[in-house]
Amino acid sequence: MNLFDNSISDLRDYLQRKKSEGSREYVIPQTSGWPISGKGNVVLEPDTAIELGNPKDESSSFLLWSDDAKKINDGRMTLIGPDLGESKQKNLPFGKVVLLGVRGMTEDNCYERHREIEMARYDLNLSGYMMRSVSQYGREWSRVSKEAIGRGASFATLASALAQMYRNIDFVESVEIVFVTSSPADVRELGVLGDKASRLIGALNKMAAEMSFECDSCDFVDVCSEVYDLRNIRNNLKKE
Amino acid sequence: MCVAKRKTKIIAICGKGGVGKTSISAAVTKILIEDARARVLAIDADPAVGLASALDISVRCTVDDVRNLLINKIEKREGGDKKQIISLLDYELTNALEERGNLAFLAIGRPETEGCYCKVNDMLKDIIKSLSSNFDYVVIDGEAGIEQINRRVMESVTHLILVSDQSAKGVGVLATLKKVAADAVHYERVGYIINRIRDEQELDKMQLPEDIEFLGFIPEDENIRNSDIEGKSFLMLPDCTALNSVRQCLEAMRILPLEIFNPNCTCSAMHNH
């Protein structure tokens, strides 16, 4: 299934544009070195070195997947903007995109499987890393402690921990990650792509939750018309 | 890599209704956060939600709200499998924390429907276990009576402070609490405080329990009274005799001084530097 092909293509254009502005590419380390912690990791404000995507700043976080292995640069991370240990500011705007190469995604299972990979982010328990808040509007607010930065925490080690976590899901075959901290404008620009992806998910959720196929009155008719796979899911559900 | 762990002191303040548990919990919280190095989690485990007001904290989301949210997700089949729901629960609870510098706050809330608090209390028990390792101190303002102790909600409490006023009923509850706690709480220390004493000689007239450590008495104090009446935050209380008495009780229980947690230490032991 290639539900997000257009979004991935738009993301590639975005990354291409940012290349000339100094984005950096890394190979995601095999092992993170970021110590894991127990559940419910809390980083209070006085212990925070870097706050990413605070509600006062821009924030956009989304997930794209494809069963076309060529579309995912497995094991690669792109960083646009300062790394965790490089920023002189305590608060940074934050963009995060996780791209996953998946297998066995079908019209019947993609809703459940998408939820599974969406929920996986709540399994990340790293010492000195706290996901403070995630909104339904694709915002992600997180904190990294002074202690974690002192131990050498970076976006590469975070990407490594994330990649390991996603690879634990049996139908995930490849992982690529993008982080953006350069400017509010860059994160806003990324957010436009995120909004497009979240409308696709919105349509998928609506079909699964409401089983309503009144296209004339549906808010998502535009995305269904644009994306072939979404139309297929709708048509199959209609037949049932 | 090893990460140093705190030896968290989990302090529960329990007693009969109306003896001033919430005021003492607020005073304990104020004293503990005075040391900027201390990381303190205050839990308002009393459904009456008085501690939030005493600390002037607006509660956006309670444990009960989190529970209802998860129930809704399960009912709408949005929450995924059991493992995913548990992960989400941890996230939702950290999201529900209110923060004031080195203080984090969580309220249990009040179930909207009539009936039993068991389910929320069960969640509270898990929360104490899962969140406490992030903090040097956890202060729990317990609900009145013995229910939370009896149901082992306070199981992992290390310091149990029993509170009574000068009333015979209040003092009578101390012995019951201690008896129930002996089986249901793995505490290191237990002691009692007599609250709102006008005159030290009042203590002589009281039948105080002999088998529980007496930590001290808290004199009736105009500053506390006025804070209560005016609804002012206990965090703004000036230094006063009542606060000093609470401080002495904490020292008597060896809750103070703070045992410094060294985040740079990489040895594998539990840390108590």
Side-chain angles (χ1 to χ4, degrees):
Chain A
M1 286 194 74
N2 300 307
L3 204 61
F4 293 109
D5 272 13
N6 291 346
S7 297
I8 293 173
S9 167
D10 290 346
L11 180 70
R12 295 287 170 223
D13 292 343
Y14 172 87
L15 293 175
Q16 191 59 39
R17 286 198 301 279
K18 299 301 166 192
K19 226 172 199 171
S20 58
E21 295 168 25
S23 68
R24 291 173 279 178
E25 285 186 26
Y26 298 85
V27 173
I28 296 175
Q30 288 288 320
T31 50
S32 169
W34 194 325
I36 54 167
S37 70
K39 298 188 297 176
N41 197 24
V42 176
V43 180
L44 290 185
E45 204 277 334
D47 302 317
T48 303
I50 297 273
E51 193 148 85
L52 302 164
N54 180 293
K56 291 173 190 159
D57 290 311
E58 287 294 334
S59 175
S60 175
S61 171
F62 55 98
L63 193 146
L64 305 171
W65 45 261
S66 173
D67 58 8
D68 182 352
K70 293 193 295 289
K71 290 197 159 43
I72 311 295
N73 296 325
D74 187 26
R76 307 289 294 186
M77 178 193 100
T78 305
L79 173 61
I80 302 165
D83 205 333
L84 293 176
E86 294 171 350
S87 174
K88 290 187 180 107
Q89 295 164 261
K90 188 173 179 180
N91 292 303
L92 286 174
F94 186 53
K96 182 179 106 183
V97 189
V98 174
L99 294 114
L100 301 177
V102 295
R103 67 178 156 75
M105 214 71 138
T106 66
E107 286 139 13
D108 294 329
N109 67 17
C110 83
Y111 173 73
E112 292 295 330
R113 285 190 166 192
H114 180 83
R115 287 215 60 81
E116 188 176 343
I117 47 181
E118 271 270 309
M119 296 285 286
R121 64 170 143 187
Y122 300 108
D123 285 337
L124 192 68
N125 290 308
L126 300 175
S127 176
Y129 177 81
M130 177 194 197
M131 202 153 65
R132 186 68 181 87
S133 180
V134 174
S135 83
Q136 57 175 322
Y137 305 107
R139 297 182 59 94
E140 188 173 310
W141 170 20
S142 51
R143 286 176 177 167
V144 182
S145 73
K146 292 170 187 168
E147 188 196 333
I149 295 291
R151 282 197 309 261
S154 66
F155 279 119
T157 54
L158 179 59
S160 175
L162 282 166
Q164 279 172 32
M165 185 188 74
Y166 286 112
R167 283 182 206 281
N168 284 338
I169 300 171
D170 57 4
F171 57 87
V172 171
E173 297 196 310
S174 52
V175 183
E176 178 186 354
I177 296 172
V178 177
F179 292 114
V180 182
T181 58
S182 46
S183 68
D186 283 349
V187 174
R188 249 194 316 273
E189 203 180 333
L190 187 74
V192 174
L193 309 183
D195 290 346
K196 218 168 159 181
S198 76
R199 282 192 49 77
L200 278 172
I201 299 308
L204 205 58
N205 286 345
K206 190 179 179 202
M207 283 184 216
E210 296 179 14
M211 296 298 275
S212 159
F213 307 104
E214 296 297 326
C215 296
D216 293 342
S217 58
C218 178
D219 292 339
F220 296 104
V221 68
D222 55 330
V223 282
C224 267
S225 308
E226 199 183 316
V227 180
Y228 171 80
D229 280 331
L230 211 49
R231 276 202 308 276
N232 260 354
I233 295 170
R234 182 190 63 194
N235 292 335
N236 283 349
L237 283 170
K238 257 182 177 174
K239 280 180 209 161
E240 287 172 16
Chain B
M1 188 192 289
C2 153
V3 181
K5 285 192 172 60
R6 291 177 163 90
K7 173 81 171 70
T8 310
K9 287 176 179 158
I10 305 175
I11 306 150
I13 289 116
C14 300
K16 189 180 90 64
V19 295
K21 289 185 300 297
T22 298
S23 296
I24 289 179
S25 301
V28 168
T29 304
K30 175 186 165 57
I31 291 164
L32 296 179
I33 63 170
E34 279 170 358
D35 187 335
R37 300 167 303 172
R39 299 292 173 260
V40 181
L41 170 64
I43 299 178
D44 192 344
D46 185 351
V49 203
L51 187 59
S53 322
L55 299 174
D56 195 23
I57 288 175
S58 315
V59 177
R60 288 170 302 127
C61 181
T62 65
V63 172
D64 187 54
D65 294 333
V66 169
R67 184 173 166 268
N68 289 332
L69 179 97
L70 294 183
I71 289 171
N72 278 339
K73 278 187 184 289
I74 293 164
E75 283 173 358
K76 289 182 185 168
R77 299 177 62 209
E78 284 178 358
D81 63 20
K82 197 177 168 191
K83 183 175 162 275
Q84 289 169 338
I85 289 167
I86 289 167
S87 304
L88 193 61
L89 169 66
D90 292 328
Y91 159 71
E92 292 293 352
L93 287 171
T94 52
N95 189 31
L97 287 176
E98 294 291 337
E99 286 181 58
R100 299 285 183 279
N102 59 340
L103 169 67
F105 178 89
L106 194 63
I108 185 170
R110 188 199 313 252
E112 281 175 18
T113 48
E114 287 275 328
C116 161
Y117 284 60
C118 305
K119 298 287 180 196
V120 192
N121 273 334
D122 284 349
M123 275 181 79
L124 178 61
K125 182 173 158 182
D126 292 340
I127 291 162
I128 297 168
K129 278 185 184 154
S130 71
L131 287 184
S132 60
S133 62
N134 294 284
F135 298 91
D136 298 296
Y137 296 113
V138 178
V139 180
I140 305 165
D141 180 18
E143 72 176 350
I146 61 165
E147 182 65 9
Q148 283 174 336
I149 291 184
N150 199 25
R151 289 187 56 81
R152 295 180 176 271
V153 176
M154 305 285 190
E155 193 175 48
S156 48
V157 163
T158 59
H159 293 72
L160 185 60
I161 300 179
L162 308 177
V163 182
S164 174
D165 54 12
Q166 72 287 11
S167 71
K169 265 188 187 169
V171 173
V173 171
L174 295 179
T176 313
L177 283 167
K178 163 92 183 331
K179 197 175 161 201
V180 177
D183 293 328
V185 182
H186 304 145
Y187 59 78
E188 292 167 18
R189 303 278 305 239
V190 59
Y192 71 92
I193 291 174
I194 302 294
N195 192 25
R196 295 193 206 111
I197 291 290
R198 287 187 184 162
D199 178 341
E200 204 171 340
Q201 286 165 350
E202 276 185 349
L203 290 172
D204 299 335
K205 298 176 200 159
M206 295 166 69
Q207 290 275 327
L208 297 174
E210 289 175 358
D211 60 339
I212 316 174
E213 183 185 359
F214 175 57
L215 300 171
F217 69 90
I218 315 297
E220 194 153 76
D221 190 307
E222 280 302 303
N223 291 289
I224 302 231
R225 230 176 100 76
N226 290 339
S227 274
D228 266 344
I229 292 168
E230 293 167 28
K232 280 185 184 164
S233 168
F234 268 61
L235 301 183
M236 306 303 285
L237 266 182
D239 226 8
C240 58
T241 42
L243 271 184
N244 283 331
S245 302
V246 174
R247 193 174 282 116
Q248 282 164 17
C249 293
L250 296 178
E251 284 164 358
M253 257 200 149
R254 299 204 191 107
I255 291 168
L256 286 175
L258 169 70
E259 290 170 7
I260 299 300
F261 155 71
N262 178 4
N264 297 317
C265 179
T266 53
C267 70
S268 58
M270 287 290 283
H271 294 256
N272 230 336
H273 300 281

